[in-house]
Amino acid sequence: MDVEEATARVPMRWVGPIKIGGKVVDGEVEVPLATYESPLWPSVGRGAKMSRLSERGILATLVDERMTRSVLLEADDAETAVAAVRQLNDDLPELRRLVSERSRFAELVTMNHQIAGNLLFLRLEFTTGDASGHNMATLAADVLLTYIVASVPGLRYSSVSGNYCTDKKATAVNGILGRGKNVVAELLIPREVVEERLRTTARKVADLNVRKNLIGTTLAGGIRSANAHFANMLLAVYLATGQDAANIVEGSQGITHAEDRDGALYFSTTLPNLIVGTVGNGKGLDFVDANLTRMGCRESREPGANARRLAAIIAATVLCGELSLMAAQTNPGELMRAHLRLERATPEKEAV
Amino acid sequence: MDVEEATARVPMRWVGPIKIGGKVVDGEVEVPLATYESPLWPSVGRGAKMSRLSERGILATLVDERMTRSVLLEADDAETAVAAVRQLNDDLPELRRLVSERSRFAELVTMNHQIAGNLLFLRLEFTTGDASGHNMATLAADVLLTYIVASVPGLRYSSVSGNYCTDKKATAVNGILGRGKNVVAELLIPREVVEERLRTTARKVADLNVRKNLIGTTLAGGIRSANAHFANMLLAVYLATGQDAANIVEGSQGITHAEDRDGALYFSTTLPNLIVGTVGNGKGLDFVDANLTRMGCRESREPGANARRLAAIIAATVLCGELSLMAAQTNPGELMRAHLRLERATPEKEAV
Amino acid sequence: MDVEEATARVPMRWVGPIKIGGKVVDGEVEVPLATYESPLWPSVGRGAKMSRLSERGILATLVDERMTRSVLLEADDAETAVAAVRQLNDDLPELRRLVSERSRFAELVTMNHQIAGNLLFLRLEFTTGDASGHNMATLAADVLLTYIVASVPGLRYSSVSGNYCTDKKATAVNGILGRGKNVVAELLIPREVVEERLRTTARKVADLNVRKNLIGTTLAGGIRSANAHFANMLLAVYLATGQDAANIVEGSQGITHAEDRDGALYFSTTLPNLIVGTVGNGKGLDFVDANLTRMGCRESREPGANARRLAAIIAATVLCGELSLMAAQTNPGELMRAHLRLERATPEKEAV
Amino acid sequence: MDVEEATARVPMRWVGPIKIGGKVVDGEVEVPLATYESPLWPSVGRGAKMSRLSERGILATLVDERMTRSVLLEADDAETAVAAVRQLNDDLPELRRLVSERSRFAELVTMNHQIAGNLLFLRLEFTTGDASGHNMATLAADVLLTYIVASVPGLRYSSVSGNYCTDKKATAVNGILGRGKNVVAELLIPREVVEERLRTTARKVADLNVRKNLIGTTLAGGIRSANAHFANMLLAVYLATGQDAANIVEGSQGITHAEDRDGALYFSTTLPNLIVGTVGNGKGLDFVDANLTRMGCRESREPGANARRLAAIIAATVLCGELSLMAAQTNPGELMRAHLRLERATPEKEAV
């Protein structure tokens, strides 16, 4: 096959700038979005405009960061598993040393566990610098697993990953114990901007959020999630910045919360499981490097600071797209009209 | 910005062929995978080899297909909502007529509902030919919503989407009521192939599947899902075939089930929420068109048949990658060695 | 052991009356609550008072009713399972006949299915008159299972229950496909009653409901549920009316929705999985018989009507207790003060 | 109303003895079960017999214990919430002192948190001696809440409970972070006992557990749960020992894991959220006192030891009932035959 065939080319546009405040990012930032769904660009663009029309812009706050891998061990019985957990917690300094010895950037933060019958799931949690850290965590887990099986009596290898990590699956554990960056983005939009630019009211957006994102998702049997379309924005930024986009599965689990504050709209998006990095697989591609540079995520900073910046920008981007869609859905027919106007004719569209 | 900046270029390779049987596909098919994670190619390739070493290959079975949109209505009270549902069910022929009138391909199949307090969520279910059908369903929902609000007393518009659809969110409703293609892929691998090529045993794979995919995911608080990494394969085929890859969120919810059959390995992957199309957004790009053509999904067939073929191929691809990873994880250290061998050196890897 | 030892004696009180409207119940009804948690009585009592101070009282609406059992079958492969489902749907009249032949009250309503690999889960749905219907459904499932295994090629018995029913487990399927009575209770409380009697405002209750019941439960990883304490009221009425109280597990999955309507409080509790009966196990005990009689659930009505009446009364009771607790929690310290005042001194209390 | 009306009398029987080993209980223990479902008695009794026919009996292991309450605070913004969490963690010794000052038995173990937008959920975790600890935890939370609101700038009271506790709701958080006793019960049954007494094989039970409890529950959209009927046994022991039986909602979330070990059956039940106490509400009733005494849970031991003993006994009881039902369901028709034989004729039964 020739070179042409060896590349999937996803249309990409720069959107923004988004006005962002907070401890991680402070200023206006443009964001690249790679997607086959062209209406996403103006949608996020409209949200970005709202950020610029608000006094403080979007406040992005980093709550936590870590990368995890859960190894799976078979114990003689549950009593043995409990004793093993106790021994390993006592042994934490040695486990930390083993990890540091093998990696310049990975550090073992802590360990959680689950015991089911005779099975022991150890959830190893690391900081991994500017890398999203999948490979660092797996390699470190491999090292620790070898040590554990050799040093703890009554434990045997069952798997280097026991799905209690949890990677690329929508579960509850990541949000509760932490995995990836946990970021909150918040925006307070003045009443007149809500009414004139978003053509809606704060009350309408807050009520729709309750009915659709909270009650609707609950009725659908969602898990730790209440939002309209985080996945769309995440996919587009992930592809544009060389992330492993399969991580949108857990990344898209997050909460949209809106309040009517005397006519002003408080709108927030909480993303507890945002897996991102500025080094590692995919980050070496030319266009990715250029994008990250333009986003200010290639600066000389302490390890982890570039990745945190990227996470904050992504959370702000997600807020922009979420706000725009939610505002549109408060008005009958607006969403469809926007789609029909924005998309080029396609076979499906003609078909409709 | 110039053209170079306007494209995200995701590395792509053809893998296979995969040997597939069943009513939808019968023969050997190659599959394009676009991904930043290069170890995925040999991993799926190894699974494809297993399909060719098994007598019947992978049996792919289509269980169901439909696309959905849930509109959200505010009723005077729950009694009014119940009466409205009854009236609309009586009115189903007229609702169907309205949809057919506006669309050549969309057909209203059926309707489900949820009532919470005074809120009514109507889940409209359509067949949409060869399109994945997001836009068709939204347009049809828009048409129906206008009609419903006008003709049913005591109902008011609340949103064109009430998150009970559910699009790009991991929930339970899609698998229970159906959304996208529901496809099962099954493979029976002879004992000697399992032992010599996968370097494991059927018992080991079946036990690991129970411990990791079923128990591990349950402990993690997963929802209607038990697999190792469906998301990876889905993302790669979705990008290569112009799908809206944000649909991997619900697409990755599925079940891996394995059995030891006297030493032979029965291995299956069930994907109840596979959203795919061969026409629509993204399908007109040159490389997508070429890929779909090479996969045999651009033939002249009855409406929907090309999309069903694509769904069956994707399910088989998912099986290949899932099998390969699961077999690797039965052996200590194998996964890490494979990664280290296969990936080119990257900043993250050097960092480790 | 003597007779004294052979009975657990749970303290019981009558609470109310509750003012109830709607098609199922219309009037004032007292409710017996059996519980070791004495603060529940005044709590529900306060809610009952609110119902009497509101013009229409609590509107109770029955949305659906059915009892289910999911049998589990092993098929040769998924293709065989799909063919079996098709054959069984064609055969529905015969399946219905088989059920009616064995039971005076059970009727097969419909059938749902799930296919995972080669496994087929058939969810059989029945109406069961005034019985909650566990045994009727199991017996009918047993009869159908024997017939199915004998008449459908390629299917084998795996279990009479495959947990897709789902009995006494918290899952999503019951609310989505229906199990037990689905009942909505709604109350509109005038502004002055909210302020003077509940010492709060409609806005405060609505906001707390969003934060605690919707967002809080979502963060906790709840499944199809958003309420404060449905389980407490359910347990107490279930014990007092001879129900199988283990069904509070799924019964307690439900939605509280509140709105501020110009200062008046719209408050609703939706209970989609309420398993109740007025005949069957436990209903023959003297005190149960007396309680059901006093509640008006022993009248001569068409089959099912007494059970529907009981379901509506229970939903209204749940609303009363939920409203009271939610109102209390809007005020700092009120809940604790109420508990300390109402409970008799106990070892735990003294310990505190 | 007279005294007769003021008591719900639930039929109760003693079952066993169950042979239990491990660090918490060692010996044979009889268990009282109060239930309207009479077939439960022989079912648990059969399991108890299996424990006596196995060499070590049921090994009961306590993994963890704590009681929780999550308070809900409104922060100025997420940044303020993050700062508050940091300050409160620094302040942990003072928070602990405040709790100890007010309670002889409650101790603040640790604190977890969730931040969604501007909302802060603080999950306070306590040990509570022999009490299940609901009231202790609420009172302690009330004390801490008052202190927190007064001492941390930018935080306001929203609710004393934010549903992230989580009490009497089925969620993921309790099993992941811990709530109540976390107990594992394990039993290894010799091959001949499995075959002759349970009339099944280890392979059949292990396979059924995979298909029904793991896959079936997953398909049903269960949350952190995979068992057949934990709720039944829990309800019966809870009523007989004066527990707040509404806690079976989260108590019934647990995992059954079975393995075929060369024909012997390894069978385990893991109950991570078992809320029990031997002092507090309901424990002062005469029959409860007598029951706890007979179970050996009224001895003079260090605080908490009686409650741990009770938890271990309950976990073993759950294993007995679960084992019996699972074994029965491996054989077509056995469950129904047992029910028909064991239950007295009731209106429902006659109706069938």
Side-chain angles (χ1 to χ4, degrees), chain C residues 252-308:
Chain C
S252 62
Q253 293 179 277
I255 310 282
T256 297
H257 177 48
E259 295 181 353
D260 171 4
R261 295 192 177 167
D262 295 323
L265 173 61
Y266 168 83
F267 195 87
S268 68
T269 49
T270 300
L271 292 102
N273 316 318
L274 197 49
I275 317 286
V276 289
T278 55
V279 297
N281 282 347
K283 312 310 179 303
L285 297 168
D286 287 350
F287 78 93
V288 169
D289 189 52
N291 289 351
L292 288 172
T293 302
R294 183 163 160 186
M295 296 168 84
C297 296
R298 282 281 197 241
E299 308 288 311
S300 176
R301 298 187 169 101
E302 56 163 353
N306 277 321
R308 285 191 287 273

Side-chain angles (χ1 to χ4, degrees), chain C residues 132-144:
Chain C
S132 60
H134 300 81
N135 285 346
M136 270 194 220
T138 304
L139 180 51
D142 219 44
V143 168
L144 294 176

Side-chain angles (χ1 to χ4, degrees), chain B residues 150-164:
Chain B
S151 63
V152 183
L155 289 191
R156 288 168 294 283
Y157 173 91
S158 191
S159 176
V160 69
S161 163
N163 271 22
Y164 190 68

